[in-house]
């Protein structure tokens, strides 16, 4: 059972997972193609950040960035290595979608990587109804990025 809660990013476990997430992005994409948010940017107004826990173990994290009244962007989705393939990513994605609906967001957008390391994420997003689209917001075409959206 996963317990998802709004997180202020002050705990050591969540800071370690954010650090792991950023390192993973840099391992699989050139620096100019890494769009993951660091701790300070995850704390900015307009961003809601959640952590998912299995007992006292951090399992997953995810964030929603409000783009405007009708649009939101999924940011910083990452499953802790010990929980890969166990449904934590899907649970967080479903939580973010439900929260976005509750906020009145009509369309969710995301940017993820295009290399083999991102195939599990791409499959998750596709299975949840996200479709590949063009760049949005301030993004530009990039061979290391895949842009997706889902109308809610």
């Amino acid at each position: 059972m996963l317990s998802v809660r709004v997180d202020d990013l002050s705990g050591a476990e969540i800071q370690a997972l954010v650090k792991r997430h950023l390192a993973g992005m840099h391992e699989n994409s050139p620096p100019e193609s890494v769009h993951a948010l660091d701790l300070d940017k995850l704390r900015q107004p307009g961003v809601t950040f959640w952590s998912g826990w299995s007992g006292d173990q951090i399992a997953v994290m995810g964030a929603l960035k409000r783009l405007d009244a009708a649009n939101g962007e999924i940011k910083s989705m990452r499953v802790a290595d010990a929980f890969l393939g166990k449904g934590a990513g899907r649970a967080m994605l479903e939580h973010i979608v439900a929260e976005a609906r509750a906020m009145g967001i009509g369309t969710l957008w995301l940017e993820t990587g295009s290399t083999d390391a991102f195939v599990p994420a791409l499959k998750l997003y596709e299975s949840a109804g996200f479709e590949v689209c063009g760049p949005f917001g301030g993004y530009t075409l990039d061979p290391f990025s895949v842009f997706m959206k889902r109308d809610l």
Side-chain angles (χ1 to χ4, degrees):
M1 187 76 182
L2 197 64
S3 170
V4 178
R5 61 183 182 233
V6 172
D7 196 305
D8 67 3
L9 295 144
S10 64
E13 298 94 339
I14 196 61
Q15 289 184 11
L17 187 55
V18 171
K19 183 178 179 180
R20 173 72 183 103
H21 177 62
L22 292 169
M25 297 302 98
H26 285 280
E27 289 166 8
N28 293 290
S29 301
E32 65 274 9
S33 298
V34 174
H35 304 288
L37 301 179
D38 62 19
L39 285 169
D40 289 336
K41 290 181 180 162
L42 287 168
R43 290 181 176 125
Q44 289 182 344
V47 177
T48 305
F49 184 88
W50 294 276
S51 58
W53 297 79
S54 177
D56 63 353
Q57 289 187 299
I58 183 77
V60 63
M61 66 181 203
L64 175 61
K65 179 180 179 184
R66 190 99 191 208
L67 300 176
D68 59 36
N71 294 280
E73 180 182 2
I74 295 175
K75 299 295 292 182
S76 301
M77 282 271 300
R78 178 68 186 212
V79 175
D81 292 346
F83 290 89
L84 290 170
K86 297 181 180 178
R90 181 167 304 282
M92 179 58 76
L93 182 58
E94 289 172 357
H95 180 82
I96 292 172
V97 168
E99 291 290 326
R101 277 193 182 114
M103 292 177 184
I105 290 174
T107 304
L108 274 178
W109 304 81
L110 65 88
E111 179 277 336
T112 191
S114 64
T115 64
D116 289 346
F118 296 95
V119 168
L122 289 165
K123 287 182 178 181
L124 170 65
Y125 297 132
E126 288 173 355
S127 74
F130 285 82
E131 298 177 347
V132 174
C133 63
F136 62 93
Y139 293 105
T140 58
L141 282 175
D142 181 340
F144 288 93
S145 289
V146 175
F147 305 98
M148 303 181 87
K149 75 172 191 170
R150 176 181 165 185
D151 292 329
L152 303 181

